[in-house]
Amino acid sequence: MAVALPSALTLRREGPVRGPVRRRPPGPLVLLPSLLVAGALLLPVLYLGVRAAGADEGIWRLLVQPRTLRILLRTVLLASAVTASAVAVALPLAWVTTRTDLPGARLWSTLTVLPLAVPSFISGIIVATVFGPWGVVHHLADRLGIALRPGGLYGFPGAWITLTLVTYPYVLLSARAGLRGMDPALEEAARTLGDGGWRAFCRVTVPHLRPWVGAGAVLVALYVLSDFGAVSMMQFESFTTAIYLQYQASFNRHYAAVLSLVLVAMASLIVLLEDRQGRGRFYRLRGTSRALPPRRLGPWRWPALTLCGLATVLGVLVPVGVIGYWLVVGVRQGEPLALALRPAFRSLYASVLAAGVTVVAALPVAILSVRHGGWLAGLISRLTYAGFALPGIVLALSLVFFAARYLPFVYQTLGLLIFAYAVHFLPQALGPLRAGLAQVSPSQEEAAQTLGRSPFQVLRTVTLPLVRPGVVAAAALVFLTTMKELPATLLLGPTGFETLATRIWSTATEGFFARAAAPALMLLGFSSLSLWLLLAQERWRGEG
């Protein structure tokens, strides 16, 4: 599913399919908005640099003290472990649901992606509830006389499991897109030359999937670096929690800015490594639309079904079941069934606004990248990852610093919050927009211009209708991630602006799980709707 890939890899893989693209200089209608977007993306990082420059000499003692280095190492280890486990779970799931005769493959294709709709902090709460020292698993183990770890799954193990469950769909979606776009003639050729199924898979399929899996793995690693909710619930001290505590506990905000830049450097290093690995690996994946016949699983059918079932149970059924249990217990104990309609309305309209603004901002960048190319287009496209590489808490802090000092009238306004969402999630909109544009022949736009249409009329009447599926996919993806967003909403939201995510966070961290149940179910429902739209588009494209 290419729409889930905010990576430059998407464009390199899809490419124009209906004739060569004429490279011509971009007009002001495309160039000026693209430059404005690039400036907006650079703003948080530049201001963090300015703020960090004002730190005193004590910052060096803070940076080199053993505790800071230990937190840095633990964060890197967590990101590495989650990325590796997400790939290990997602790769076989992608293969069995797209290339085999797995019973109910279409249903499993949907169910195994649904954990993407579960916010990480909700998963953290549920893992703590089920596997914590007073959780269901410990209670059952005590009755059976089995000794488990006294502290439950708090700390590194809990954060590892929680983040793996909510992030493996990034790799799964990416790998499935690679498998569906791969030219089946390559595998057939390998088998004709005498390679068996496993050998052909290792020699042909895996190398061609590597860029797609790499793109998904980068998203997972960046997600782990930027996560705040799950690590907080699992009581795992990561760099994001250290920055948050530094911001909350110290009046010297320069230190928080310096620590934020360290995290930005780590995220940027990951993006650069992915880009370096991807450079020079061009694979033509769409040689033919003909699909390979599904491979027979035989006796491997049961392990494949077990894997799909485990992923569904742990990633979807357990969260929904635990939240439903909280709801029932709360109602039985007299807890009022609060549907959190006002937070739900705020979540919806903030997410709709964020989706609209982000798509509008990403569109000129996508047109510049696909239709015109050149070093400037490449530079602006790469700059979009500055926002995505920036953890939500770091982005929020940089905007807090900037607005409080230079634009106090926008501090804690909805406009600033939407701006933060757009900066953070713009690459998620850029990926599907570029993929959609790359599949539209430029000759259709040129024909409209020949008939006397202005550039704006061509954009409105020709380009946008043709890339509508990409626009819808981009908006749905941004809507989904905005609904789940927590740190930026906590720090930048207007006073009294409570969304479903912040309501769940505030009630659950105070121990009122029953009160958090109804908002959590509402959040899962709304997030699942946008995910359904993304999956439906993938199916429609496949059938088309």
Side-chain angles (χ1 to χ4, degrees):
M1 183 172 138
V3 296
L5 293 174
S7 167
L9 289 171
T10 301
L11 182 59
R12 290 200 295 269
R13 303 301 178 267
E14 295 292 340
V17 296
R18 299 182 183 177
V21 176
R22 292 181 184 177
R23 301 296 184 190
R24 59 183 188 278
L29 192 63
V30 172
L31 184 60
L32 292 179
S34 299
L35 291 174
L36 283 176
V37 170
L41 292 169
L42 275 177
L43 179 64
V45 178
L46 290 178
Y47 188 72
L48 278 177
V50 171
R51 189 78 179 184
D56 56 30
E57 63 276 3
I59 187 60
W60 297 110
R61 291 194 296 274
L62 176 66
L63 285 176
V64 299
Q65 68 179 359
R67 181 172 175 270
T68 304
L69 297 177
R70 186 171 61 250
I71 295 173
L72 184 64
L73 178 61
R74 285 159 57 89
T75 304
V76 172
L77 286 176
L78 180 65
S80 304
V82 172
T83 304
S85 55
V87 171
V89 172
L91 197 54
L93 282 177
W95 192 76
V96 298
T97 54
T98 56
R99 288 296 182 87
T100 69
D101 62 346
L102 180 74
R106 175 175 286 189
L107 177 63
W108 292 120
S109 297
T110 302
L111 292 176
T112 52
V113 175
L114 280 180
L116 194 62
V118 182
S120 63
F121 64 92
I122 289 184
S123 285
I125 295 170
I126 290 169
V127 169
T129 305
V130 176
F131 299 101
W134 296 278
V136 177
V137 172
H138 267 252
H139 179 68
L140 291 176
D142 286 342
R143 295 186 66 176
L144 296 173
I146 302 173
L148 296 179
R149 189 183 179 206
L153 279 181
Y154 283 112
F156 186 90
W160 181 11
I161 293 173
T162 304
L163 288 169
T164 298
L165 287 175
V166 297
T167 57
Y168 82 80
Y170 285 113
V171 185
L172 175 60
L173 291 169
S174 182
R176 277 183 7 193
L179 283 169
R180 285 179 172 149
M182 186 175 168
D183 187 350
L186 298 172
E187 293 181 61
E188 289 178 338
R191 290 173 192 163
T192 304
L193 293 173
D195 286 345
W198 176 248
R199 187 175 173 81
F201 178 79
C202 294
R203 291 186 59 191
V204 178
T205 307
V206 170
H208 280 79
L209 278 183
R210 196 178 302 156
W212 298 86
V213 173
V218 166
L219 294 184
V220 173
L222 293 178
Y223 189 101
V224 176
L225 285 185
S226 65
D227 181 75
F228 175 73
V231 293
S232 297
M233 295 309 303
M234 289 292 101
Q235 300 177 10
F236 178 79
E237 193 174 31
S238 70
F239 226 74
T240 50
T241 57
I243 293 169
Y244 185 74
L245 292 176
Q246 187 68 38
Y247 171 76
Q248 291 285 359
S250 172
F251 290 104
N252 190 342
R253 304 293 167 79
H254 299 289
Y255 287 6
V258 174
L259 292 178
S260 300
L261 284 179
V262 174
L263 200 54
V264 170
M266 292 168 58
S268 302
L269 180 63
I270 292 174
V271 174
L272 288 174
L273 287 175
E274 186 271 343
D275 187 64
R276 188 178 179 83
Q277 290 296 317
R279 193 174 299 165
R281 295 182 318 190
F282 183 90
Y283 297 95
R284 181 170 179 79
L285 299 180
R286 293 190 180 277
T288 174
S289 58
R290 179 171 54 86
L292 280 175
R295 292 187 60 80
R296 294 180 60 83
L297 281 171
W300 289 97
R301 174 178 302 181
W302 297 111
L305 285 172
T306 303
L307 178 64
C308 293
L310 273 177
T312 302
V313 168
L314 295 177
V316 182
L317 296 184
V318 169
V320 173
V322 171
I323 294 171
Y325 173 76
W326 292 342
L327 187 65
V328 172
V329 170
V331 170
R332 283 184 173 178
Q333 293 178 349
E335 188 73 34
L337 184 60
L339 291 179
L341 294 179
R342 183 168 293 180
F345 177 70
R346 287 169 177 162
S347 291
L348 285 174
Y349 82 74
S351 300
V352 169
L353 281 175
V357 170
T358 308
V359 170
V360 169
L363 188 59
V365 180
I367 295 175
L368 180 70
S369 173
V370 176
R371 288 286 183 265
H372 304 283
W375 67 269
L376 183 59
L379 178 63
I380 294 177
S381 294
R382 292 179 197 286
L383 277 179
T384 62
Y385 294 96
F388 190 74
L390 216 55
I393 190 170
V394 175
L395 172 65
L397 287 176
S398 66
L399 292 178
V400 166
F401 294 148
F402 180 80
R405 183 158 186 172
Y406 297 110
L407 299 171
F409 59 93
V410 303
Y411 180 58
Q412 288 193 318
T413 62
L414 182 62
L416 187 62
L417 183 61
I418 298 300
F419 176 79
Y421 290 151
V423 170
H424 199 34
F425 302 133
L426 191 133
Q428 298 189 2
L430 192 59
L433 287 176
R434 292 198 305 191
L437 277 168
Q439 296 181 15
V440 175
S441 171
S443 62
Q444 294 170 285
E445 298 166 338
E446 292 171 354
Q449 288 179 337
T450 306
L451 294 173
R453 300 285 180 89
S454 67
F456 180 74
Q457 288 174 322
V458 172
L459 176 68
R460 184 174 60 83
T461 60
V462 178
T463 307
L464 285 180
L466 289 173
V467 300
R468 188 178 299 156
V471 172
V472 173
L477 202 57
V478 175
F479 178 90
L480 170 67
T481 46
T482 305
M483 284 291 295
K484 301 188 303 179
E485 208 286 332
L486 181 65
T489 311
L490 282 173
L491 292 175
L492 291 174
T495 303
F497 186 83
E498 192 180 35
T499 64
L500 286 175
T502 58
R503 167 69 69 89
I504 297 165
W505 174 260
S506 61
T507 51
T509 50
E510 293 172 0
F512 298 113
F513 295 123
R515 294 181 189 175
L521 287 176
M522 295 173 73
L523 179 58
L524 291 180
F526 290 131
S527 301
S528 299
L529 285 177
S530 58
L531 194 57
W532 171 83
L533 185 61
L534 287 170
L535 293 172
Q537 284 224 127
E538 181 189 55
R539 190 162 54 248
W540 295 335
R541 285 184 178 184
E543 292 172 352

